[in-house]
Amino acid sequence: MMVHSVPDEVESKDIEMASRSSSHRQTENYKSVYKVGLPPRRNFIREFSETLKETFFADDPLRPYKDQPRSRQLVLGLQFLFPVLEWGRSYNLSKFKGDVIAGLTIASLCIPQDIGYAKLANLDGKYGLYSSFVPPLIYAVMGSSRDIAIGPVAVVSLLLGTLLQNEVDPENNKEDYRRLAFTATFFAGVTQAALGFLRLGFLIEFLSHAAIVGFMGGAAITIALQQLKGFLGIKKFTKNTDIISVMKSVWGSVHHGWNWQTIFIGTIFLAFLLSAKYIGKKNRKFFWVPAIAPLISVILSTFFVYITRADKHGVQIVKKIDRGLNPSSVSQIHFSGSYAAKGFRIGVVAGLIALTEAIAIGRTFASMKEYQLDGNKEMVAIGTMNIVGSMTSCYVATGSFSRSAVNFMAGCQTSVSNIVMSMVVMLTLLVITPLFKYTPNAILSSIIISAVISLIDYEAAFLIWKVDKFDFIACMGAFFGVVFVDVEIGLLIAVSISLAKVLLQVTRPRTALLGNLPSTMVYRNIEQYPEATKVPGVLIVRVDSAIYFTNSNYVKERILRWLRDEEEQLRAKNLPQINFLIVEMSPVTDIDTSGIHAFEELYRNLQKREIQLVLANPGPVVIQKLHLAKFTELIGHDKIFLSVGEAAMTCTSKAREDS
């Protein structure tokens, strides 16, 4: 066996040497034909306009209008603002049947939820119903999502209620509180519509997925804890939302504040609602079970309280909900003064959170049905509906995930399902609202608790932990901020950590040492490919980021540290020292004057060590800026190569010639 292994080994070495020799010849031929080219220079106005277009008009929204007559352009413009004019032409009876079933299903879910969510915002129940009447009608005409269901949602209701009560007492000053709520809703709509018109939708992307998961989970815990007031029948309850204050309030009233009849009603129906949700989750055919369970709970609990007169035994009830449609609230909106400033601040925060939730929901269901969702168009639609809503006694409405999921599973075809839901809510406001008089608060608390449980996405949190630990920190920061402080602080933490991650990646970009994969001209990260070998006398470093003033000094210092570490290892092994430093610049998409200055300092530092600086594959923007700054003349045009392989081969050839 040993006799045969020696020839095999020699043969293997011959093959490898032949392969390297072949690669060397290929590189020399390649080198003689191709050089790093300079792109044609563009004037400033053209470059600026193209950058502006790519930033704000990446989807080229004006493309359909090109070479079209004025009449056609007008039609396209109207269809952009009112998508109903486009999909309405192909609407038929079959689609209408699907929309009617979906609309009736989500209406049965939204009516009890709306009354409960309004209480989260410290408003009377009727304002929740108002917010599921007018906004869905506006969205149905202007929105582009076929599946999203519009109305009040738990997180935005809690956020709005928390921010508003910090400015006005909702119990002792109801009128001013309500006016501030309408003002905040107006400015939330203005913010949303402005982001859409100005095509600034990318701003909401600064709230990362991890931060949203943590924020939603923390908000769900907070909302559930807030419902203990109604669930346990406690009359005096803390206004703070943090878990410590809530638990103190709960246990502080255990002996004299809890009402066993209320607890009995709440527990029975919470178990019923959770069972219904479990049935719907286990079998998609029974999606309608969790959808109608809240309304059935309201009907049964209201009937039970009415016949037993449990309200006489301490069971708190909704009491009277005024009959009638949305009254005008234009005169109640503050357009100037201190309340206008407060409303603007609260509205911007609530509007951005509502927008983030709606866009995320819309994109989720659009991907399931394989159609495109125009984010900017959605912002305009949602903003417009909230502006109109603020003038018709509504508070901030957005897309609801639970209702949208039911809408989707019920077979909705278009946003007509929102119109059907709105009509049912209208009939409720005109006819049925007096029947809610004896509805126990405990059942509304149970409905909200069962609804927000789904916002705690522990599977997503676990996945975030496995994939990216820094993302997990952002997730947990948002979660604990909401749970232990308040919603506003949790949101601030979420945004801050998300921005900190971006800044960290910008200021501390990754760099890597590259080695040659045997028998190839491919150079890869030696950590990812341990079999990759370093080239004698040559150090190859890759920079994985654009080089700006924020990271230029770090990039220079990190490259020098790679060099210093490598030289120490070579000295310890009595091996030849480094003669060439190759910087692989393929991932470097851009460089500014600070970056060029850092490379000049790096070049001078290497000169003192008698090490030559070589660049490999700089992109068009980078090579143009290096040329304009005359850095290419400083290091020499012969030190700039099309690929790392060509640079490494040339450097080793020069090293052999010098020796």
Side-chain angles (χ1 to χ4, degrees), residues 61-114:
L62 299 178
R63 185 177 181 181
Y65 298 87
K66 291 178 181 177
D67 304 322
Q68 296 287 347
R70 287 287 179 86
S71 58
R72 180 59 182 164
Q73 288 180 350
L74 178 62
V75 171
L76 290 172
L78 289 173
Q79 287 179 350
F80 177 83
L81 289 174
F82 306 104
V84 65
L85 298 176
E86 183 176 359
W87 57 259
R89 292 180 301 172
S90 59
Y91 198 71
N92 53 42
L93 185 61
S94 176
K95 290 182 179 179
F96 181 66
K97 288 178 181 177
D99 287 334
V100 168
I101 294 171
L104 292 174
T105 307
I106 58 176
S108 67
L109 177 63
C110 86
I111 291 169
Q113 280 187 349
D114 290 343

Side-chain angles (χ1 to χ4, degrees), residues 19 38 45 106 179 202 239-240 243 322 451 458 462 518 576 615:
S19 174
L38 276 172
I45 295 175
I106 58 176
R179 292 188 66 182
F202 60 86
K239 291 182 180 179
N240 297 326
I243 188 171
D322 295 334
Y458 60 89
F462 182 67
L615 304 182

Side-chain angles (χ1 to χ4, degrees), residues 104-119 125 128-129 132 152 227 273 290-299 301-302 318 321 403 424-425 428 436 439-441 443-448 450-451:
L104 292 174
T105 307
I106 58 176
S108 67
L109 177 63
C110 86
I111 291 169
Q113 280 187 349
D114 290 343
I115 298 171
Y117 291 160
K119 290 186 176 296
L129 294 171
S132 277
Q227 298 317 301
L273 290 165
I292 66 169
L295 190 59
I296 292 173
S297 300
V298 168
I299 293 170
S301 62
T302 302
V318 172
I321 297 181
R403 293 182 212 177
V424 175
V425 173
T428 303
F436 289 115
T439 300
N441 288 339
I443 194 62
L444 299 178
S445 297
S446 299
I447 290 170
I448 292 173
S450 67

